[in-house]
Amino acid sequence: MPAPAHLVDRDPQVTPQQMAASLVPPPQFTDASFASYRPDPEYPSQAQVRDAVSSFVAAGPADTPRRGLFGRRKPAAETTVKSGVYLDGGFGVGKTHLLAAAYHAASGRKTFGTFIEYTALVGALGFQGTVDLLRGTALVCIDEFELDDPGDTMVMTRLIKELTETGTRFAATSNTPPGALGEGRFAAQDFLREIQAMSDRFETMRIDGLDYRRRAVDESARVVSDVQGSLPNGTVTLDDFRAVVEHLASVHPSKYVAMVEDLDAVGLTDVQAFTDQTDALRWVALVDRLYDAQVRIVASGTPLDQVYPESMLHGGYRKKYLRAASRVVALTRA
C-alpha cells in the first residue's frame, strides 16, 4: 500500500466560476426528498415542517413585487408576501435534508450552499457581481445561516433584499441548541436591528427533536492507537492534527470544499484540545466540509468531540462547536 498523502499539501485554487458551479447539495443529499425524510413520531413538528416546506416549494414563486410610479414598490407587496422559510432547530433533526429536498423539488433555476459559501462568493465577485450572478434564480437555499459576524450578516441581508425584490425566494436553516443566544428567535438581539427587514421576509418554522446521529446511543468520537494502520483503502491523507490546524490558517475557508474533494478518509494523529478560538473555528469549517462530503475521519489522541474547552462551549460560538462535535462522532464511526 503506498504511503498516504498529506492534507497539509493541499491548497487548491478555486475560481469564482467554480464556486458558483458548486452551489448544489452535497453528495449525501443528492437523492434527498420530502418522501425520504423520516420524521421522529415523538416530535410532531418534524412532519409538520416537512409538509409546510413542501407546500412552500409547490406554491411556486410569487409574482415579482409590483412597483409604482418612479420605481417605488407598492406597500401591499411587501407586507403580504413571505419570500422565504427559515428552519430553526437543534442538531440532527433533518433540516439540511429538508433544505435539499426543497432544492430538488423546486422548478426553475436554483442554488444550494452554506452561508460561508455565499459570503465567499461575495468576496470573490463583489456584492454587485454576486447579485448579477444570482438574479433570476427561483430558489436560493442557505444552509447553516450564521449570525456571529455582523459584517457577513449585513452582506447577506442586503443580498436577500436585492434578490427578493426581483422574485427570488429563499429557504434557510440554522442551529439554535438549548442555551444558545437567540434560542427560538430569528436572530440574536445584537443583530436584530440589522436583519429585522430580512426576518420579516421569512416564515420561521421550529423543528424539535433529538440528534439522529446520537439517537440510538450516546457515543463519543472514536479514537485508535494506530492511525495509519486503521485507514481504509482509497484516497486518504495522514497528518499531525496540529499541522492541519496550522495549515487551515493559510487556506481561505471557501477552498475547504475543494481541499477535501475526492478523499475517502483523513487520518489525524495526536489530536489535542484547542487553546485558540480562531483555530477552533477554522476546524469547525473544515468539519462541515468533511461531513458534507462524507469523508471518514481516523484519529488518535483526544476524542474529536472533546477538543473544545468549557470556556469556548459557554461562549458565543457554542452552536458551531456542538454541531461539529455531533458530526465528528458520525464521521469517526462511519
Side-chain angles (χ1 to χ4, degrees):
M1 180 178 177
H6 301 289
L7 200 60
V8 296
D9 292 335
R10 291 188 164 210
D11 185 8
Q13 300 305 306
V14 183
T15 67
Q17 292 73 25
Q18 290 172 319
M19 294 167 63
S22 69
L23 292 177
V24 296
Q28 63 171 313
F29 294 110
T30 298
D31 299 318
S33 67
F34 294 117
S36 64
Y37 179 69
R38 295 290 179 263
D40 187 338
E42 297 295 322
Y43 296 91
S45 63
Q46 294 187 13
Q48 292 166 2
V49 170
R50 176 200 59 195
D51 295 343
V53 175
S54 177
S55 296
F56 169 79
V57 174
D63 293 335
T64 301
R66 298 174 297 155
R67 293 180 179 273
L69 193 61
F70 306 117
R72 296 186 62 185
R73 188 148 48 108
K74 294 187 177 181
E78 181 161 1
T79 58
T80 61
V81 176
K82 289 290 187 179
S83 55
V85 291
Y86 180 91
L87 309 188
D88 176 36
F91 313 108
V93 295
K95 298 186 305 299
T96 301
H97 182 118
L98 291 175
L99 192 66
Y103 172 92
H104 293 305
S107 57
R109 185 181 169 202
K110 50 203 174 181
T111 63
F112 182 109
T114 62
F115 180 88
I116 195 172
E117 287 179 289
Y118 287 108
T119 55
L121 195 61
V122 173
L125 296 179
F127 180 79
Q128 192 56 50
T130 304
V131 171
D132 293 341
L133 176 71
L134 297 178
R135 184 180 286 114
T137 303
L139 180 67
V140 171
C141 299
I142 308 172
D143 202 18
E144 301 163 13
F145 204 108
E146 303 290 2
L147 298 168
D148 303 307
D149 185 292
D152 285 346
T153 300
M154 292 180 71
V155 164
M156 288 302 295
T157 63
R158 288 181 59 207
L159 186 65
I160 289 172
K161 180 178 183 295
E162 290 277 347
L163 294 175
T164 54
E165 290 181 351
T166 61
T168 296
R169 299 200 306 165
F170 288 80
T173 73
S174 187
N175 291 303
T176 54
L181 187 63
E183 169 69 9
R185 293 178 294 163
F186 186 81
Q189 185 64 38
D190 289 346
F191 303 124
L192 189 58
R193 182 182 59 190
E194 288 85 349
I195 69 169
Q196 185 62 55
M198 180 176 66
S199 176
D200 291 343
R201 298 172 188 269
F202 283 75
E203 180 181 353
T204 302
M205 301 178 181
R206 175 72 186 186
I207 309 179
D208 300 304
L210 302 175
D211 183 349
Y212 78 91
R213 289 180 287 264
R214 296 191 178 188
R215 195 174 291 168
V217 61
D218 186 15
E219 296 178 325
S220 182
R222 178 174 292 164
V223 296
V224 300
S225 57
D226 177 12
V227 175
Q228 183 167 354
S230 302
L231 287 169
N233 293 326
T235 304
V236 300
T237 60
L238 178 64
D239 298 88
D240 174 76
F241 179 71
R242 296 308 308 177
V244 169
V245 172
E246 291 176 9
H247 179 59
L248 294 180
S250 66
V251 181
H252 192 276
S254 63
K255 298 180 179 180
Y256 291 0
V257 173
M259 192 164 74
V260 304
E261 188 175 8
D262 300 327
L263 287 180
D264 296 300
V266 297
L268 301 169
T269 60
D270 194 24
V271 173
Q272 301 173 30
F274 287 105
T275 58
D276 180 85
Q277 184 145 256
T278 302
D279 287 343
L281 290 171
R282 292 191 185 107
W283 168 250
V284 167
L286 180 66
V287 168
D288 287 339
R289 306 292 75 79
L290 290 169
Y291 185 77
D292 285 346
Q294 288 295 281
V295 178
R296 182 180 172 189
I297 299 177
V298 180
S300 66
T302 302
L304 279 167
D305 60 330
Q306 299 175 26
V307 294
Y308 312 107
E310 287 299 313
S311 59
M312 291 186 187
L313 290 176
H314 287 94
Y317 298 108
R318 172 182 171 85
K319 66 189 179 79
K320 289 188 176 183
Y321 299 139
L322 294 181
R323 181 183 71 222
S326 169
R327 290 180 167 183
V328 294
V329 170
L331 294 178
T332 60
R333 295 182 172 275

